[in-house]
Amino acid sequence: MTTFGYVCSLILMCILVYCSNAQLQQNFYAKSCPKAEKIILEYVHKHIPNAPSLAAALIRMHFHDCFVRGCDASVLLNFTSTSGSQTEKVGIPNLTLRGFSFIDDIKKIIEAECPGVVSCADIISLVARDSIVVIGGPFWNVPTGRRDGTISISSETLSDIPSPFSNFSTLQNDFAKKGLDLKDLVLLSGAHTIGVSLCTSFSNRLYNFTGTFGTQDPSLDSEYAANLKAKKCKSINDNTTIVEMDPGSFKTFDLSYYKLLLKRRGLFQSDAALTTSTTTKTYINQLVAGSLKEFYVEFAQSMEKMGRIEVKTGSTGEIRKHCAVVNS
């Protein structure tokens, strides 16, 4: 390709990205469904305080949705005989997702208020933000106007969703594919300050790191590893025990996660990978040295950026009547 041709294609790509993002706007439903965002917020305020662990589950759902085919609620679709393929919902990375009924319940209320107007994709985006705010975490802007996708393929979850087993270069590539940089990688990983995980997402670091049973990840703090083996994941076959991702602070959206990374106590291999790059480790040190308010501001910027990944707007996609099935 000539230099001129490369420049032209680059300009075209930028125009396409701009046009897609330009159609997202604050209060998109101000005229078509003015009570939509208030309905969502009130539902979250009513239910999340009684089940605060759902906040972590819902922001994880948002993350997993956006990384596969963009933020289009494709993660919510069920398999049907007409779709012809298993959907993202049953992809290996999504088998532990929770919160589907929470989204469905909100969609029913919204549909009763404004039938066929508010997308499931926007509901996920707003619910994720509102849930984090309710548990005391950061606020970020959620421009709306996303439309729902009609395609959901299980196998794409493995190729597109960053894995807890990933090394740094893999994470860097996974994020770059979605237009996210290394700062976004560090900041979005900060959501691990809340929530829990099953042993299966990291037990290889304790028992089988090199492929030989009995080998342990040398990058994991030995005292922390011993504690995990003695009190949590007592066997490599344990697939039921739940472990806090940010021990002692997993209900609080704070900087503790980053402090643990610097002590080699990140739970996942992907957490530990953030300290293997000079660039990302510098970001981590800056966050730890800064204030919680500064972290919240930067986290908010990366969340808004993530919420714009490959969005469908205008006439692309549809507004589903039921989040789990495409319109007939």
Side-chain angles (χ1 to χ4, degrees):
M1 182 184 287
T2 65
T3 301
F4 177 75
Y6 174 76
V7 171
C8 287
S9 64
L10 190 63
I11 291 172
L12 178 61
M13 184 175 73
C14 290
I15 290 171
L16 289 172
V17 170
Y18 173 78
C19 290
S20 173
N21 288 344
Q23 293 180 54
L24 291 185
Q25 55 185 273
Q26 292 296 130
N27 302 311
F28 178 84
Y29 300 107
K31 292 182 179 179
S32 59
C33 191
K35 294 182 182 178
E37 293 194 25
K38 184 182 178 186
I39 289 171
I40 293 169
L41 181 60
E42 288 179 347
Y43 190 90
V44 168
H45 268 278
K46 181 178 179 181
H47 295 282
I48 290 297
N50 299 324
S53 66
L54 257 183
L58 291 163
I59 196 172
R60 181 171 179 242
M61 177 189 288
H62 181 34
F63 184 95
H64 283 213
D65 180 44
C66 291
F67 266 74
V68 183
R69 294 184 171 268
C71 312
D72 69 346
S74 52
V75 72
L76 303 179
L77 288 172
N78 288 335
F79 169 80
T80 62
S81 56
T82 54
S83 70
S85 63
Q86 293 294 334
T87 61
E88 293 169 35
K89 193 182 276 191
V90 297
I92 291 173
N94 289 338
L95 292 177
T96 52
L97 284 184
R98 296 189 300 126
F100 295 107
S101 61
F102 194 91
I103 300 295
D104 287 341
D105 290 344
I106 291 176
K107 177 64 171 174
K108 288 176 187 175
I109 299 169
I110 294 287
E111 283 295 298
E113 176 74 20
C114 312
V117 174
V118 181
S119 70
C120 300
D122 277 339
I123 291 175
I124 294 177
S125 302
L126 289 162
V127 164
R129 189 270 312 277
D130 291 346
S131 297
I132 295 300
V133 171
V134 165
I135 65 165
F139 174 93
W140 62 90
N141 290 320
V142 179
T144 43
R146 297 167 190 78
R147 288 171 65 84
D148 299 322
T150 57
I151 299 171
S152 183
I153 301 171
S154 172
S155 60
E156 292 180 348
T157 61
L158 286 171
S159 58
D160 289 351
I161 296 174
S163 164
F165 307 106
S166 292
N167 59 24
F168 175 75
S169 60
T170 302
L171 290 171
Q172 183 177 22
N173 290 335
D174 286 345
F175 274 66
K177 283 191 301 184
K178 302 301 176 182
L180 301 173
D181 58 28
L182 292 180
K183 193 169 188 179
D184 297 316
L185 168 59
V186 171
L187 289 163
L188 294 173
S189 296
H192 288 176
T193 186
I194 56 171
V196 296
S197 170
L198 292 174
C199 294
T200 48
S201 292
F202 61 89
S203 58
N204 68 307
R205 301 185 74 197
L206 302 175
Y207 295 103
N208 193 32
F209 188 65
T210 64
T212 302
F213 186 77
T215 55
Q216 188 171 292
D217 184 351
S219 71
L220 184 63
D221 176 73
S222 57
E223 185 179 331
Y224 181 41
N227 182 273
L228 287 170
K229 290 164 81 171
K231 298 181 179 179
K232 297 290 184 179
C233 309
K234 299 178 181 179
S235 160
I236 194 171
N237 299 315
D238 186 333
N239 59 7
T240 57
T241 300
I242 291 173
V243 180
E244 301 167 7
M245 290 192 285
D246 184 0
S249 180
F250 78 107
K251 294 182 181 180
T252 308
F253 210 102
D254 57 20
L255 290 164
S256 174
Y257 164 76
Y258 296 114
K259 294 174 183 178
L260 289 174
L261 291 188
L262 297 176
K263 294 177 180 177
R264 299 191 299 121
R265 293 191 171 200
L267 193 61
F268 305 134
Q269 195 171 339
S270 59
D271 292 326
L274 300 181
T275 64
T276 63
S277 152
T278 303
T279 303
T280 50
K281 191 169 184 178
T282 298
Y283 287 143
I284 293 168
N285 278 308
Q286 289 172 349
L287 287 167
V288 169
S291 68
L292 185 62
K293 183 178 180 180
E294 289 169 332
F295 167 46
Y296 278 14
V297 169
E298 295 198 74
F299 180 82
Q301 291 170 349
S302 288
M303 282 302 301
E304 183 173 348
K305 189 175 175 182
M306 187 191 80
R308 292 179 178 273
I309 294 175
E310 298 167 21
V311 292
K312 295 167 178 63
T313 58
S315 59
T316 306
E318 64 181 17
I319 305 297
R320 281 182 225 144
K321 296 174 184 175
H322 303 280
C323 289
V325 292
V326 297
N327 296 338
S328 56

XYZ file of all heavy atoms in Angstrom, residues 122-198:
576
model
N -27.451 -0.644 26.435
C -27.405 0.537 27.299
C -27.758 0.188 28.739
O -27.197 0.759 29.680
C -28.350 1.618 26.775
C -27.733 2.460 25.672
O -26.495 2.490 25.568
O -28.497 3.086 24.902
N -28.682 -0.747 28.908
C -29.051 -1.162 30.269
C -27.841 -1.764 30.983
O -27.560 -1.417 32.134
C -30.234 -2.150 30.238
C -31.515 -1.424 29.795
C -30.448 -2.780 31.627
C -32.719 -2.339 29.607
N -27.101 -2.650 30.313
C -25.891 -3.231 30.930
C -24.917 -2.122 31.322
O -24.374 -2.108 32.432
C -25.178 -4.202 29.966
C -26.028 -5.438 29.672
C -23.832 -4.646 30.557
C -25.394 -6.390 28.663
N -24.690 -1.194 30.415
C -23.723 -0.119 30.642
C -24.118 0.746 31.832
O -23.275 1.100 32.668
C -23.595 0.748 29.388
O -23.196 -0.020 28.279
N -25.394 1.098 31.918
C -25.880 1.945 33.007
C -25.913 1.197 34.335
O -25.545 1.746 35.381
C -27.274 2.480 32.660
C -27.309 3.534 31.544
C -28.727 3.672 30.987
C -26.807 4.881 32.046
N -26.335 -0.050 34.292
C -26.401 -0.860 35.514
C -25.012 -1.072 36.104
O -24.829 -0.999 37.321
C -27.087 -2.219 35.229
C -26.827 -3.217 36.349
C -28.587 -2.019 35.055
N -24.022 -1.334 35.244
C -22.654 -1.532 35.724
C -22.170 -0.291 36.470
O -21.624 -0.385 37.580
C -21.726 -1.846 34.552
N -22.375 0.872 35.875
C -21.956 2.132 36.504
C -22.705 2.384 37.809
O -22.108 2.655 38.857
C -22.173 3.276 35.516
C -21.575 4.639 35.936
C -22.533 5.518 36.753
N -23.848 5.654 36.230
C -24.222 6.529 35.280
N -23.351 7.345 34.734
N -25.500 6.583 34.900
N -24.038 2.287 37.752
C -24.849 2.598 38.938
C -24.562 1.647 40.089
O -24.560 2.052 41.259
C -26.337 2.568 38.572
C -26.736 3.710 37.646
O -25.943 4.662 37.499
O -27.843 3.644 37.066
N -24.292 0.387 39.788
C -24.006 -0.598 40.830
C -22.705 -0.273 41.560
O -22.622 -0.381 42.787
C -23.907 -2.002 40.231
O -25.137 -2.393 39.662
N -21.696 0.138 40.790
C -20.413 0.489 41.402
C -20.559 1.743 42.271
O -20.001 1.823 43.372
C -19.332 0.699 40.324
C -19.052 -0.616 39.587
C -18.054 1.266 40.934
C -18.555 -1.755 40.468
N -21.326 2.701 41.801
C -21.544 3.926 42.577
C -22.267 3.612 43.886
O -21.917 4.135 44.950
C -22.345 4.961 41.758
C -22.755 6.152 42.641
C -21.524 5.451 40.568
N -23.250 2.726 43.834
C -24.031 2.381 45.024
C -23.165 1.741 46.113
O -23.407 1.955 47.306
C -25.214 1.449 44.653
C -25.814 0.789 45.874
C -26.294 2.254 43.936
N -22.141 0.983 45.730
C -21.276 0.365 46.754
C -20.137 1.297 47.174
O -19.221 0.892 47.897
C -20.709 -0.996 46.294
C -19.763 -0.824 45.105
C -21.831 -1.981 45.993
C -18.899 -2.044 44.826
N -20.198 2.543 46.697
C -19.209 3.524 47.119
C -18.062 3.736 46.165
O -17.082 4.412 46.495
N -18.165 3.178 44.963
C -17.102 3.296 43.973
C -17.262 4.519 43.090
O -18.131 5.363 43.333
N -16.442 4.641 42.051
C -16.430 5.830 41.200
C -17.631 5.945 40.276
O -18.231 4.951 39.875
C -15.141 5.664 40.380
C -14.921 4.193 40.341
C -15.389 3.671 41.669
N -17.948 7.168 39.926
C -18.965 7.485 38.921
C -18.260 7.724 37.598
O -17.158 8.272 37.563
C -19.729 8.748 39.334
C -20.703 9.244 38.293
C -22.031 8.849 38.320
C -20.278 10.114 37.289
C -22.930 9.308 37.358
C -21.167 10.574 36.316
C -22.492 10.172 36.361
N -18.864 7.293 36.503
C -18.354 7.663 35.186
C -19.530 7.952 34.268
O -20.651 7.463 34.476
C -17.448 6.587 34.589
C -18.072 5.237 34.333
C -18.687 4.810 33.199
C -18.127 4.118 35.252
N -19.111 3.513 33.331
C -18.769 3.064 34.579
C -17.669 3.925 36.560
C -18.995 1.824 35.180
C -17.893 2.696 37.155
C -18.550 1.657 36.475
N -19.280 8.785 33.280
C -20.331 9.120 32.321
C -20.653 7.919 31.449
O -19.755 7.192 31.032
C -19.897 10.286 31.427
C -19.825 11.587 32.186
O -20.677 11.873 33.026
N -18.802 12.383 31.901
N -21.939 7.709 31.194
C -22.371 6.643 30.291
C -23.224 7.273 29.194
O -24.446 7.389 29.329
C -23.180 5.550 31.027
C -23.626 4.468 30.028
C -22.356 4.918 32.131
N -22.590 7.729 28.120
C -23.374 8.196 26.986
C -24.147 7.011 26.423
O -23.646 5.880 26.431
C -22.325 8.717 26.008
C -21.056 8.044 26.402
C -21.142 7.811 27.880
N -25.353 7.237 25.980
C -26.217 6.148 25.519
C -26.576 6.292 24.042
O -26.224 7.262 23.393
C -27.485 6.089 26.386
O -27.983 7.421 26.598
C -27.190 5.459 27.746
N -27.278 5.280 23.550
C -27.615 5.240 22.137
C -27.104 3.973 21.471
O -27.202 3.800 20.256
N -26.555 3.042 22.296
C -26.114 1.744 21.759
C -27.334 0.968 21.283
O -28.417 1.078 21.847
C -25.407 0.922 22.843
C -24.145 1.529 23.387
C -23.694 0.816 24.663
N -22.604 1.549 25.304
C -22.769 2.650 26.028
N -23.992 3.124 26.232
N -21.739 3.277 26.554
N -27.113 0.142 20.281
C -28.157 -0.773 19.842
C -27.684 -2.196 20.074
O -26.493 -2.457 20.252
C -28.511 -0.520 18.368
C -29.287 0.796 18.208
C -29.460 1.190 16.762
N -30.282 0.260 16.004
C -31.618 0.286 15.958
N -32.290 1.202 16.652
N -32.280 -0.578 15.221
N -28.615 -3.127 20.107
C -28.310 -4.516 20.439
C -27.879 -5.308 19.212
O -28.465 -5.169 18.131
C -29.538 -5.188 21.058
C -29.983 -4.517 22.349
O -29.086 -4.097 23.121
O -31.192 -4.408 22.591
N -26.878 -6.164 19.407
C -26.415 -7.032 18.337
C -27.363 -8.207 18.142
O -28.169 -8.530 19.017
N -27.236 -8.852 17.011
C -28.094 -10.004 16.706
C -27.287 -11.290 16.563
O -27.843 -12.347 16.291
C -28.874 -9.761 15.395
O -27.937 -9.506 14.336
C -29.807 -8.566 15.540
N -25.969 -11.194 16.744
C -25.091 -12.363 16.599
C -24.330 -12.585 17.899
O -23.825 -11.650 18.509
C -24.093 -12.155 15.443
C -24.834 -11.978 14.113
C -23.114 -13.331 15.349
C -23.944 -11.552 12.957
N -24.262 -13.839 18.319
C -23.527 -14.204 19.531
C -22.943 -15.596 19.332
O -23.680 -16.559 19.136
C -24.464 -14.176 20.747
O -23.765 -14.466 21.934
N -21.614 -15.710 19.381
C -20.943 -16.966 19.074
C -20.019 -17.355 20.231
O -19.104 -16.606 20.588
C -20.138 -16.855 17.762
C -21.074 -16.476 16.607
C -19.394 -18.148 17.462
C -20.357 -16.121 15.315
N -20.257 -18.498 20.785
C -19.537 -18.969 21.967
C -18.025 -18.932 21.799
O -17.292 -18.458 22.673
C -19.982 -20.392 22.306
O -19.189 -20.944 23.327
N -17.526 -19.416 20.669
C -16.078 -19.545 20.482
C -15.352 -18.205 20.516
O -14.154 -18.143 20.814
C -15.781 -20.250 19.156
O -16.319 -19.512 18.071
N -16.052 -17.129 20.223
C -15.414 -15.810 20.205
C -15.038 -15.332 21.604
O -14.195 -14.438 21.748
C -16.316 -14.794 19.511
C -16.471 -15.071 18.025
C -17.369 -14.082 17.305
O -18.067 -13.301 17.972
O -17.372 -14.104 16.060
N -15.632 -15.910 22.627
C -15.287 -15.502 23.989
C -13.845 -15.888 24.324
O -13.145 -15.153 25.016
C -16.231 -16.133 25.031
O -16.125 -17.573 24.967
C -17.674 -15.735 24.782
N -13.408 -17.026 23.817
C -12.039 -17.488 24.093
C -10.997 -16.655 23.358
O -9.899 -16.430 23.867
C -11.892 -18.963 23.718
C -12.551 -19.966 24.664
C -12.532 -21.359 24.060
C -11.849 -19.971 26.017
N -11.333 -16.183 22.189
C -10.365 -15.415 21.401
C -10.351 -13.933 21.773
O -9.335 -13.256 21.573
C -10.665 -15.559 19.898
O -11.983 -15.132 19.604
N -11.451 -13.423 22.331
C -11.554 -11.976 22.549
C -11.502 -11.516 24.006
O -11.075 -10.394 24.276
C -12.850 -11.451 21.920
C -12.788 -11.455 20.394
O -11.702 -11.697 19.844
O -13.827 -11.212 19.760
N -11.968 -12.332 24.931
C -11.988 -11.905 26.334
C -10.633 -12.187 26.970
O -10.152 -13.323 26.952
C -13.097 -12.633 27.118
C -14.474 -12.240 26.568
C -13.018 -12.287 28.610
C -15.634 -13.020 27.179
N -9.978 -11.164 27.532
C -8.684 -11.380 28.185
C -8.789 -12.453 29.267
O -9.740 -12.468 30.051
C -8.370 -10.007 28.790
C -9.089 -9.045 27.890
C -10.373 -9.745 27.531
N -7.808 -13.336 29.281
C -7.841 -14.482 30.191
C -7.060 -14.214 31.470
O -6.048 -13.512 31.453
C -7.238 -15.698 29.476
O -6.910 -16.719 30.389
N -7.493 -14.796 32.593
C -6.723 -14.665 33.837
C -5.372 -15.379 33.762
O -4.509 -15.175 34.604
C -7.630 -15.313 34.888
C -8.511 -16.236 34.123
C -8.744 -15.557 32.798
N -5.180 -16.212 32.726
C -3.927 -16.945 32.541
C -2.959 -16.231 31.600
O -1.878 -16.741 31.319
C -4.213 -18.349 31.991
C -5.221 -19.132 32.790
C -6.509 -19.327 32.304
C -4.899 -19.637 34.037
C -7.450 -20.031 33.048
C -5.821 -20.348 34.785
C -7.109 -20.547 34.291
N -3.339 -15.059 31.115
C -2.544 -14.367 30.091
C -1.275 -13.733 30.643
O -1.244 -13.248 31.772
C -3.388 -13.276 29.425
O -4.425 -13.828 28.651
N -0.234 -13.713 29.772
C 0.982 -12.971 30.099
C 0.832 -11.536 29.586
O -0.185 -11.181 28.982
C 2.224 -13.647 29.517
C 2.161 -13.768 28.001
O 1.465 -13.024 27.316
N 2.891 -14.736 27.466
N 1.857 -10.734 29.798
C 1.739 -9.312 29.467
C 1.508 -9.055 27.983
O 0.631 -8.264 27.609
C 2.983 -8.537 29.927
C 2.964 -7.103 29.496
C 2.150 -6.185 30.131
C 3.733 -6.684 28.410
C 2.102 -4.865 29.713
C 3.685 -5.366 27.986
C 2.878 -4.454 28.638
N 2.279 -9.702 27.123
C 2.153 -9.433 25.688
C 0.777 -9.806 25.158
O 0.215 -9.099 24.305
C 3.248 -10.164 24.904
O 3.154 -11.563 25.096
N 0.213 -10.882 25.678
C -1.138 -11.282 25.267
C -2.165 -10.253 25.709
O -3.059 -9.870 24.945
C -1.494 -12.663 25.845
O -0.536 -13.622 25.400
C -2.881 -13.110 25.398
N -2.050 -9.796 26.951
C -2.958 -8.763 27.456
C -2.843 -7.482 26.628
O -3.862 -6.876 26.258
C -2.646 -8.454 28.918
C -2.991 -9.528 29.947
C -2.408 -9.154 31.303
C -4.503 -9.723 30.057
N -1.623 -7.092 26.346
C -1.397 -5.886 25.564
C -2.085 -5.986 24.201
O -2.753 -5.045 23.751
C 0.106 -5.659 25.373
C 0.448 -4.370 24.632
C 1.950 -4.154 24.523
O 2.738 -5.106 24.617
N 2.371 -2.916 24.351
N -1.946 -7.139 23.559
C -2.575 -7.349 22.248
C -4.094 -7.382 22.353
O -4.795 -6.813 21.510
C -2.064 -8.651 21.625
C -0.613 -8.563 21.189
O -0.115 -7.481 20.907
N 0.071 -9.697 21.139
N -4.609 -8.063 23.382
C -6.064 -8.162 23.562
C -6.691 -6.777 23.737
O -7.771 -6.506 23.192
C -6.394 -9.020 24.794
C -6.158 -10.504 24.561
O -6.027 -10.907 23.390
O -6.101 -11.260 25.549
N -6.028 -5.934 24.484
C -6.558 -4.589 24.718
C -6.373 -3.703 23.492
O -7.268 -2.930 23.142
C -5.912 -3.968 25.956
C -6.602 -4.337 27.244
C -6.607 -5.650 27.705
C -7.271 -3.384 27.993
C -7.255 -6.003 28.871
C -7.925 -3.718 29.167
C -7.923 -5.035 29.609
N -5.228 -3.827 22.846
C -4.966 -3.001 21.662
C -5.978 -3.277 20.553
O -6.396 -2.362 19.831
C -3.544 -3.254 21.153
N -6.396 -4.532 20.425
C -7.397 -4.898 19.415
C -8.696 -4.136 19.612
O -9.460 -3.944 18.670
C -7.687 -6.408 19.469
C -6.643 -7.290 18.832
C -7.125 -8.732 18.691
C -7.499 -9.374 20.008
N -7.871 -10.814 19.866
N -8.950 -3.725 20.831
C -10.187 -3.022 21.149
C -9.980 -1.509 21.314
O -10.843 -0.796 21.821
C -10.806 -3.604 22.430
C -11.097 -5.096 22.339
C -12.048 -5.417 21.196
C -12.257 -6.922 21.048
N -13.144 -7.244 19.895
N -8.794 -1.053 20.917
C -8.525 0.377 20.989
C -8.156 0.877 22.369
O -8.225 2.075 22.648
N -7.748 -0.046 23.229
C -7.383 0.313 24.602
C -5.869 0.206 24.777
O -5.246 -0.709 24.260
C -8.092 -0.609 25.598
C -9.626 -0.600 25.545
C -10.207 -1.688 26.455
C -10.182 0.755 25.935
N -5.293 1.140 25.528
C -3.843 1.151 25.692
C -3.431 0.564 27.037
O -4.259 0.048 27.797
C -3.305 2.573 25.505
C -3.922 3.581 26.480
O -4.327 3.174 27.592
O -3.973 4.778 26.134
N -2.133 0.663 27.340
C -1.607 0.044 28.560
C -2.134 0.721 29.824
O -2.309 0.070 30.855
C -0.079 0.076 28.543
C 0.586 -0.810 27.485
C 2.100 -0.700 27.574
C 0.153 -2.274 27.651
N -2.397 2.000 29.744
C -2.973 2.688 30.901
C -4.381 2.159 31.169
O -4.773 1.937 32.317
C -3.003 4.196 30.665
C -3.294 5.008 31.920
C -3.052 6.487 31.693
C -3.157 7.254 33.016
N -2.904 8.698 32.822
N -5.147 1.938 30.099
C -6.487 1.357 30.248
C -6.397 -0.038 30.847
O -7.217 -0.417 31.685
C -7.194 1.275 28.888
C -7.430 2.636 28.254
O -7.847 3.568 28.962
O -7.170 2.762 27.036
N -5.395 -0.806 30.412
C -5.196 -2.159 30.945
C -5.016 -2.123 32.456
O -5.661 -2.884 33.189
C -3.978 -2.804 30.275
C -3.440 -4.099 30.885
C -4.503 -5.184 30.901
C -2.202 -4.577 30.114
N -4.167 -1.233 32.928
C -3.919 -1.126 34.370
C -5.172 -0.643 35.108
O -5.568 -1.206 36.135
C -2.741 -0.170 34.650
C -2.620 0.119 36.143
C -1.441 -0.778 34.128
N -5.809 0.375 34.566
C -6.969 0.964 35.256
C -8.169 0.021 35.280
O -8.814 -0.157 36.318
C -7.341 2.290 34.592
C -6.349 3.424 34.850
C -6.549 4.560 33.855
C -6.493 3.932 36.284
N -8.466 -0.614 34.155
C -9.614 -1.514 34.113
C -9.376 -2.763 34.958
O -10.313 -3.308 35.542
C -9.947 -1.889 32.670
C -10.443 -0.720 31.794
C -10.591 -1.148 30.345
C -11.760 -0.163 32.324
N -8.116 -3.195 35.052
C -7.791 -4.319 35.938
C -8.078 -3.946 37.387
O -8.284 -4.826 38.233
C -6.314 -4.712 35.785
O -6.045 -5.198 34.488
N -8.096 -2.661 37.671
C -8.385 -2.185 39.020
C -9.752 -2.580 39.530
O -10.010 -2.529 40.740
N -10.641 -2.992 38.623
C -11.953 -3.485 39.055
C -11.814 -4.767 39.868
O -12.750 -5.178 40.554
C -12.859 -3.724 37.841
N -10.636 -5.392 39.817
C -10.381 -6.586 40.637
C -10.276 -6.243 42.124
O -10.087 -7.129 42.946
C -9.103 -7.298 40.169
C -9.246 -7.998 38.858
N -8.202 -8.633 38.220
C -10.327 -8.170 38.054
C -8.634 -9.159 37.064
N -9.913 -8.885 36.951
N -10.390 -4.964 42.440
C -10.404 -4.563 43.844
C -11.681 -5.027 44.539
O -11.753 -5.046 45.771
C -10.266 -3.028 43.978
O -10.154 -2.689 45.361
C -11.466 -2.298 43.401
N -12.692 -5.398 43.753
C -13.912 -5.974 44.323
C -14.162 -7.323 43.666
O -13.677 -7.599 42.573
C -15.152 -5.068 44.128
C -15.360 -4.743 42.632
C -15.019 -3.797 44.952
C -16.669 -4.042 42.327
N -14.909 -8.161 44.349
C -15.316 -9.416 43.746
C -14.490 -10.624 44.164
O -13.538 -10.513 44.936
N -14.903 -11.757 43.636
C -14.313 -13.041 44.011
C -14.049 -13.894 42.772
O -14.496 -13.569 41.678
C -15.250 -13.819 44.964
C -15.428 -13.073 46.283
C -16.626 -14.054 44.315
N -13.323 -14.984 42.984
C -13.011 -15.899 41.897
C -13.047 -17.331 42.396
O -12.849 -17.592 43.587
C -11.614 -15.592 41.343
O -11.182 -16.610 40.447
N -13.274 -18.255 41.469
C -13.123 -19.672 41.783
C -11.647 -20.061 41.682
O -10.876 -19.448 40.940
C -13.941 -20.524 40.807
C -15.461 -20.427 40.902
C -16.112 -21.224 39.769
C -15.959 -20.938 42.244
